[in-house]
Amino acid sequence: MKSKRIVKELTEGVLLGVMILGTLIVSVKINAATNPEDTLLKAEYIGYCEDIGSRYSICPELLEAIIEEESDGDADAVGSAGEIGLMQVYPKYHMERAERLGIYSLFNPRDNILAGADYLSELFEEYQDMGTVLMVYNGTADAAGLGEKGKYTDYAEKIMERTEQLEEVHKKTASDNSLARTDAAGHK
């Protein structure tokens, strides 16, 4: 009888601990979304965004905003349709890209950001409009048609807004050319 009571108390204690931990995690995520100075991204990932963003002339804060939205900074994230990693890259659509870039695993944070940035660069060449690029990246049907009308999805609007917040936090402007800075549209 006493052992059942102890097991019950331990079980209740563990459940309470899990609930408290879950609440803390949710509050940290909410705070990061509402406080632009906070990010859930590891410094390592931010460094990759700076390096790779410079290489592709893509605003590193754009890459960071996409990572926050796509995976919450979880390099091991797997989406419901098979998207992988920080930037939720679809392996079946980007095998040639991965081969060309020498990428062996989309779970590798640097390689995942590299694949995502390479794809974004290609999209900027084709569409030249940040909102349209983000909608295509996110798989929005008729993204080009919507973009021509200046109509952007909530996803695109959210990424653009977060990019601007992160640029303000990092005290960067469109005229800062120290890292091959890009304009607010994410490209030169």
Side-chain angles (χ1 to χ4, degrees):
M1 189 77 162
K2 188 176 182 179
S3 63
K4 285 184 177 180
R5 193 182 96 237
I6 291 172
V7 170
K8 182 180 177 188
E9 288 175 5
L10 284 173
T11 303
E12 289 173 353
V14 169
L15 288 174
L16 179 62
V18 169
M19 289 172 51
I20 291 170
L21 181 60
T23 302
L24 288 173
I25 290 170
V26 169
S27 70
V28 167
K29 286 185 177 184
I30 290 170
N31 188 38
T34 57
N35 184 352
E37 293 189 33
D38 291 335
T39 183
L40 300 173
L41 301 185
K42 294 179 180 180
E44 171 189 10
Y45 302 164
I46 294 170
Y48 294 150
C49 290
E50 290 285 342
D51 177 51
I52 294 167
S54 175
R55 177 176 169 180
Y56 283 95
S57 296
I58 294 175
C59 173
E61 290 80 10
L62 173 62
L63 299 175
E64 293 170 34
I66 291 171
I67 291 169
E68 286 180 355
E69 180 65 22
E70 292 286 344
S71 68
D72 284 331
D74 180 0
D76 296 321
V78 177
S80 60
E83 318 89 346
I84 293 178
L86 293 171
M87 295 189 69
Q88 293 291 277
V89 177
Y90 286 99
K92 68 180 182 181
Y93 299 124
H94 298 285
M95 293 303 287
E96 288 180 26
R97 180 182 315 282
E99 188 175 305
R100 177 174 47 83
L101 296 171
I103 292 171
Y104 298 101
S105 174
L106 288 172
F107 287 108
N108 175 291
R110 186 181 186 288
D111 287 351
N112 190 277
I113 295 169
L114 180 61
D118 190 77
Y119 181 45
L120 285 168
S121 179
E122 185 179 294
L123 294 176
F124 276 119
E125 286 293 318
E126 185 172 347
Y127 298 104
Q128 302 170 358
D129 172 70
M130 186 176 195
T132 303
V133 165
L134 290 170
M135 290 188 298
V136 172
Y137 186 89
N138 190 239
T140 302
D142 194 29
L146 291 170
E148 287 174 6
K149 297 174 188 170
K151 295 181 179 181
Y152 302 123
T153 60
D154 290 342
Y155 173 87
E157 293 284 353
K158 185 174 184 179
I159 298 295
M160 290 187 287
E161 182 179 327
R162 183 63 177 149
T163 299
E164 288 179 21
Q165 289 174 343
L166 289 167
E167 284 185 323
E168 288 175 20
V169 168
H170 297 159
K171 299 186 179 1
K172 294 180 181 176
T173 64
S175 63
D176 176 7
N177 290 315
S178 63
L179 288 174
R181 297 301 307 154
T182 56
D183 65 15
H187 57 283
K188 282 189 168 187

